[in-house]
């Protein structure tokens, strides 16, 4: 058995190129340097770890070796900060790339993407010592130290492998992985000149791999922040079946900034919001989180999309970052199946009919959020049972061709067949092959009447009989819903609401009753002022209505609507009748 050479451990000094000065080493030096420079240009063309590893393997076969394999540490693949490895056992590795000529393809190797299995072997020695291992001429005992399994050793012998080299990859003083090389047939064995060339090449490749690791870590940080700022689950959506999906960009420079939200509004209404902050990276992700939070607060106070966007634009001007964002806001009302929409520089939503083709919703487009181009105009459509409304960001459609109109047309053309064939579509089902930006998809299915939430709406008389009529309507409806346990509390609540609407709201509006996961009572009026609980002294005859509602109900509130305002309150359903 030829003793393996471990440079720095008795291997002896050697000159430039890895061989003693003069002789054959000097003759091959110009060709070696030419190959080294060419290989260096081929490695690291992207910031993708897997591609960089494959470029390293491909650049060495067949010019330098007959077979090559590249393994990277698991910590590198996770983009983690790595320190000099120390310990009795080698760190976990994963096979990243393989290249070989046909005659050595039969050699047993860990499949690309799988964990590398290291028994007692030269690869293990290289990881433990941090030094390369050179076997100039193999023997049967060497085969076991190369392959670490009897079957692998037999395959090495059958392929005629006669020389072996394994070199650790180190960048900035940190171990990143190893690369193995073999030669077979009539080819000369590896010598110290080859070892020096391989060490130099892997030093350059290690810098590219470490840059890719740092880049991957930056992207993962952006995506982690982005995902943490997006909703983890959707609230109950009466009358709608909502599916949301987010696809991060592969490039950290454009990742971050796209968002979606599903907000439960009073009276069983649901707000669907998608937005896209211009730019990418951590600043865009942070701005996205602030805009999403502001939009949720504004939607709790106003259900009119165009007014929400106008106030969001004003709020965006106070952000430290001078960034703009597109935004699309839709508010669905299960009482009549209508959907109010407004757009701030956003791509148009797509409506897929129950049986017909998909088409863009004709929607006025205002300026982006933060640009100061208010006011905004809205529109209202009706979603029939079985229809699907598609809200998305432009990353779901656009490619690097730069023709957004053509990309949107492709999306519209494919939306109907794709979405109708999938009950819960993912963004990947509609994304183009050349997608490079973040992508958000919100698909809202309008449920048929039998499956929709139970909503009842009545017009109340515009006189003193409004409170009595409201109590009677609520009592009769709760009896039909078999919720008689809630009758007393519901009558008190609706009586106070109707009285306040008649007294302070100029004109009493409709009464709405919703049974979904809770019982919701809502009374509208045309008054502009939102009610607040007042401090009432012992001598005051009034001012305690909202205090009573606050005590009886799980929660209550008020918000502006297209025709005035609505005051609402929620009562928990009895456990035996609570809907799933």
């Amino acid at each position: 058995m030829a003793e393996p050479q471990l440079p720095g451990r008795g291997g002896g000094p050697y000159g430039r190129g890895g061989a003693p000065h003069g002789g054959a080493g000097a003759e091959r030096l110009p060709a070696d340097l030419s190959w080294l420079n060419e290989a260096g240009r081929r490695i690291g063309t992207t910031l993708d770890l897997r591609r960089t590893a494959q470029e390293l393997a491909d650049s060495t076969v067949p010019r330098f070796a007959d077979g090559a394999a590249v393994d990277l540490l698991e910590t590198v693949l996770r983009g983690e900060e790595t320190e000099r490895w120390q310990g009795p056992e080698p760190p976990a590795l994963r096979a990243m790339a393989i290249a070989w000529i046909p005659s050595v393809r039969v050699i047993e190797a860990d499949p690309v993407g799988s964990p590398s299995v290291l028994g007692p072997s030269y690869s293990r020695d290289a990881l433990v010592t941090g030094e390369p291992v050179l076997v100039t001429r193999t023997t049967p005992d060497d085969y076991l130290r190369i392959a670490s399994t009897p079957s692998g050793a037999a395959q090495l012998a059958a392929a005629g492998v006669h020389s072996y080299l394994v070199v650790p990859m180190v960048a900035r003083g940190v171990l990143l992985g190893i690369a193995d090389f073999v030669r077979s047939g009539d080819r000369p064995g590896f010598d110290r000149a080859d070892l020096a060339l391989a060490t130099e090449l892997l030093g350059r490749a290690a810098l590219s791999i470490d840059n890719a690791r740092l880049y991957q870590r930056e992207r993962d940080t952006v995506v982690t922040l982005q995902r943490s700022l997006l909703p983890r689950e959707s609230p109950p959506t009466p009358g709608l079946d909502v599916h949301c999906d987010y696809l991060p960009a592969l490039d950290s420079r454009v990742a971050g900034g796209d968002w979606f939200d599903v907000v439960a509004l009073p009276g069983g209404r649901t707000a669907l919001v998608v937005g896209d902050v211009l730019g990418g990276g951590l600043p865009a992700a942070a701005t996205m989180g602030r805009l999403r939070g502001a939009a949720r607060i504004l939607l709790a106070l106003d259900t009119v999309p165009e007014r929400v966007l106008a106030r969001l634009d004003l709020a965006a001007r106070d952000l430290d970052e001078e960034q703009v964002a597109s935004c699309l806001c839709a508010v669905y009302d299960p009482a009549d199946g209508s959907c109010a929409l407004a757009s701030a520089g956003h791509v148009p939503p797509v409506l897929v009919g129950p049986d017909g083709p998909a088409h863009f919703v004709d929607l006025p487009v205002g300026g982006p959020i933060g640009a100061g181009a208010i006011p905004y105009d809205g529109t209202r459509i009706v979603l029939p049972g079985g229809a699907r409304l598609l809200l998305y960001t432009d990353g779901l459609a656009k490619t690097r061709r730069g023709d957004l109109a053509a990309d949107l047309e492709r999306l519209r053309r494919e939306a109907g067949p794709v979405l109708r064939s999938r009950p819960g579509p993912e963004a990947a089902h509609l994304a183009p092959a050349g997608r490079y930006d973040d992508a958000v998809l919100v698909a809202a299915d309008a449920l048929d009447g039998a499956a929709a939430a139970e909503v009842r709406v009545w017009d109340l008389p515009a006189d003193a009989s409004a409170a009595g009529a409201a109590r009677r309507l609520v009592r009769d409806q709760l009896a039909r819903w078999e919720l008689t346990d809630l009758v007393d509390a519901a009558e008190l609540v609706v009586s106070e609401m109707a009285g306040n609407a008649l007294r302070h709201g100029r004109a009493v509006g409709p009464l709405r009753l919703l049974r979904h996961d809770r019982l919701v009572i809502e009374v509208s009026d045309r008054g502009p002022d939102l009610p607040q609980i007042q401090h009432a002294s012992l001598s005051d005859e009034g001012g305690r209505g909202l205090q009573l509602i606050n005590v009886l109900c799980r929660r209550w509130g008020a918000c502006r609507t297209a025709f005035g305002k609505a005051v609402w309150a929620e009562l928990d359903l009895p456990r035996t009748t609570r809907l799933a």
Side-chain angles (χ1 to χ4, degrees), residues 421-444:
S421 65
R422 300 181 182 274
E426 298 178 357
H429 299 152
L430 284 172
R435 182 189 71 86
Y436 66 95
D437 197 0
D438 279 9
V440 158
L441 170 66
V442 176

Side-chain angles (χ1 to χ4, degrees), residues 395-553:
L396 190 66
K398 67 182 181 182
T399 61
R400 295 191 182 276
R401 294 192 306 267
D403 189 350
L404 182 57
D407 292 335
L408 289 175
E409 178 58 26
R410 177 206 60 82
L411 177 67
R412 182 205 64 78
R413 188 172 57 253
E414 296 178 3
V418 171
L419 297 182
R420 278 196 296 270
S421 65
R422 300 181 182 274
E426 298 178 357
H429 299 152
L430 284 172
R435 182 189 71 86
Y436 66 95
D437 197 0
D438 279 9
V440 158
L441 170 66
V442 176
D445 294 335
L447 302 177
D448 294 330
E454 297 185 68
V455 183
R456 299 292 182 270
V457 180
W458 302 276
D459 290 326
L460 295 177
D463 54 34
S465 64
R471 289 193 297 270
R472 183 178 66 257
L473 291 168
V474 167
R475 182 172 57 250
D476 293 345
Q477 187 59 51
L478 292 183
R480 284 190 285 272
W481 282 341
E482 298 181 353
L483 295 176
T484 54
D485 292 346
L486 298 180
V487 167
D488 292 340
E491 283 190 2
L492 284 172
V493 169
V494 76
S495 182
E496 289 295 335
M497 286 183 175
N500 286 340
L502 193 64
R503 188 177 306 111
H504 306 292
R506 297 181 181 174
V508 64
L511 162 66
R512 177 186 296 230
L513 206 62
L514 165 72
R515 183 182 71 164
H516 193 54
D517 58 329
R518 300 181 183 92
L519 180 69
V520 182
I521 306 169
E522 176 185 294
V523 175
S524 300
D525 61 55
R526 294 187 177 276
D529 298 326
L530 300 182
Q532 297 182 4
I533 294 180
Q534 304 292 331
H535 292 284
S537 64
L538 294 177
S539 59
D540 289 339
E541 296 183 359
R544 297 183 178 84
L546 290 180
Q547 294 182 10
L548 177 64
I549 292 175
N550 189 58
V551 171
L552 292 175
C553 298

Side-chain angles (χ1 to χ4, degrees), residues 287-466:
T287 300
M288 175 274 292
R290 299 171 74 176
L291 290 178
R292 177 182 170 239
R296 290 183 69 91
I297 294 173
L298 293 171
L299 283 165
L301 300 175
D302 201 327
T303 62
V304 181
E306 55 266 32
R307 295 205 298 248
V308 171
L309 293 182
R311 289 179 172 84
L312 188 61
D313 178 89
L314 294 172
R317 300 182 204 179
D318 292 332
L319 298 180
D320 295 337
E321 302 87 354
E322 294 183 358
Q323 291 180 302
V324 297
S326 67
C327 186
L328 178 63
C329 181
V331 175
Y332 175 77
D333 190 343
D336 55 8
S338 65
C339 187
L341 303 103
S343 173
H346 204 78
V347 288
V350 174
L351 181 61
V352 183
D355 301 312
H359 66 273
F360 293 116
V361 177
D362 187 10
L363 177 64
V365 180
I369 298 298
I374 54 178
Y376 296 95
D377 296 319
T379 191
R380 184 177 294 269
I381 62 174
V382 174
L383 297 182
R388 174 172 284 176
L389 183 64
L390 179 66
L391 283 65
Y392 55 96
T393 56
D394 59 5
L396 190 66
K398 67 182 181 182
T399 61
R400 295 191 182 276
R401 294 192 306 267
D403 189 350
L404 182 57
D407 292 335
L408 289 175
E409 178 58 26
R410 177 206 60 82
L411 177 67
R412 182 205 64 78
R413 188 172 57 253
E414 296 178 3
V418 171
L419 297 182
R420 278 196 296 270
S421 65
R422 300 181 182 274
E426 298 178 357
H429 299 152
L430 284 172
R435 182 189 71 86
Y436 66 95
D437 197 0
D438 279 9
V440 158
L441 170 66
V442 176
D445 294 335
L447 302 177
D448 294 330
E454 297 185 68
V455 183
R456 299 292 182 270
V457 180
W458 302 276
D459 290 326
L460 295 177
D463 54 34
S465 64

Side-chain angles (χ1 to χ4, degrees), residues 29-98:
L29 186 60
D32 289 341
L33 292 179
S34 175
W35 167 77
L36 184 63
N37 291 331
E38 179 185 350
R41 288 192 296 268
R42 294 174 57 187
I43 299 172
T45 59
T46 69
L47 289 171
D48 181 81
L49 281 169
R50 298 181 185 277
R51 183 168 177 178
T52 302
Q54 190 62 55
E55 289 171 345
L56 170 59
D58 292 341
S59 67
T60 60
V61 176
R63 181 76 178 271
F64 178 78
D66 295 332
V70 179
D71 297 347
L72 296 181
L73 272 64
E74 292 282 5
T75 52
V76 173
L77 299 180
R78 293 194 296 267
E80 296 177 358
E81 287 287 356
T82 57
E83 301 177 354
R84 285 188 176 274
W85 176 84
Q86 294 179 348
E89 297 296 328
L93 288 172
R94 188 168 293 272
M96 296 299 295
I98 298 175

